[in-house]
Amino acid sequence: WQPAGPTDKRSPCPAINTLANHGYLPRDGLGVTAAMLQTVMPQVYGIDVAVIKTLTDSDFKLETDNTSLLVNTGVLNATEYNATPQYLNLDDLKKHNRNEHDASLSRLDSYFNASQDLDMARFQRLYTASSDGQVLNKYDVCKHRVQLVKDCRASNPTCKFGAQELIIATGENVFTLHVLGHKGQITLDHLYSFFVLEQIP
């Protein structure tokens, strides 16, 4: 493990950033392909490849659209386009309302901070949501997420948290508590390691 350097690209997703920090993805965050994610995420996190494919299909359509535009405008010729695996840089995932969404556990809404970097005050709210000061459980996380959504709707004039965002947020909760954690809870030390250091606990 090594932390991201000043020029390395990172996403709003600590799970993906952690893979880059450990060298499972390019450490500079450049040239990441769908095949890379579909290979390493099941290996490292044990997530079913079908789930990863659903997410990457959405993410890589974004990059395919951009590359197609380059072909159509003559910046990139069709031979180069067809010969190159579709890729993105990790900071491409900062596109708002794709997988990145409002009412995040660790990032401010895009309306308030377009960089989508970790916000320590937001993370601290998650950390202190623990009801016993030792672990975060499903009740803590769900109660906390409901409050984040309420805050978003009350203070963010562009707040969007509908069915799609709910599905993604639920997946994040499950990942945090059952993949990184154990039996539906995660220790606060492991929570800090993952969200702040972006290191596998």
Side-chain angles (χ1 to χ4, degrees), residues 29 49 70 72 80 100 102 117-118 139 152 176 194:
V49 70
L70 294 177
N72 293 337
E80 292 171 323
E100 181 280 318
D102 290 330
D117 294 331
L118 171 71
Y139 302 106
C152 176
T176 300
F194 179 70

Side-chain angles (χ1 to χ4, degrees), residues 21 43 48 68 75 90 101 114 123 132 134 139 142 157-158 169 181 184 198:
N21 288 350
Q43 289 177 350
D48 190 280
S68 297
V75 176
L90 292 187
H101 59 84
F123 170 76
D132 68 359
Q134 298 181 42
Y139 302 106
C142 290
T158 65
E198 295 183 328

Side-chain angles (χ1 to χ4, degrees), residues 83-139:
T84 304
Q86 295 307 296
Y87 71 93
L88 51 73
N89 301 326
L90 292 187
D91 60 339
D92 290 328
L93 295 175
K94 293 181 178 182
K95 299 291 189 294
H96 187 48
N97 288 331
R98 287 257 180 179
N99 286 329
E100 181 280 318
H101 59 84
D102 290 330
S104 164
L105 294 175
S106 61
R107 268 70 176 165
L108 293 179
D109 295 351
S110 181
Y111 178 81
F112 299 111
N113 182 3
S115 78
Q116 293 302 313
D117 294 331
L118 171 71
D119 182 77
M120 279 304 297
R122 174 64 65 99
F123 170 76
Q124 191 65 29
R125 289 182 60 188
L126 173 65
Y127 191 90
T128 57
S130 167
S131 53
D132 68 359
Q134 298 181 42
V135 301
L136 204 67
N137 62 39
K138 63 182 179 181
Y139 302 106

Side-chain angles (χ1 to χ4, degrees), residues 56-87:
T56 55
D57 282 351
S58 169
D59 292 333
F60 282 85
K61 182 179 185 303
L62 176 152
E63 185 62 30
T64 301
D65 291 345
N66 290 344
T67 308
S68 297
L69 178 64
L70 294 177
V71 172
N72 293 337
T73 56
V75 176
L76 187 70
N77 68 51
T79 302
E80 292 171 323
Y81 169 69
N82 290 327
T84 304
Q86 295 307 296
Y87 71 93

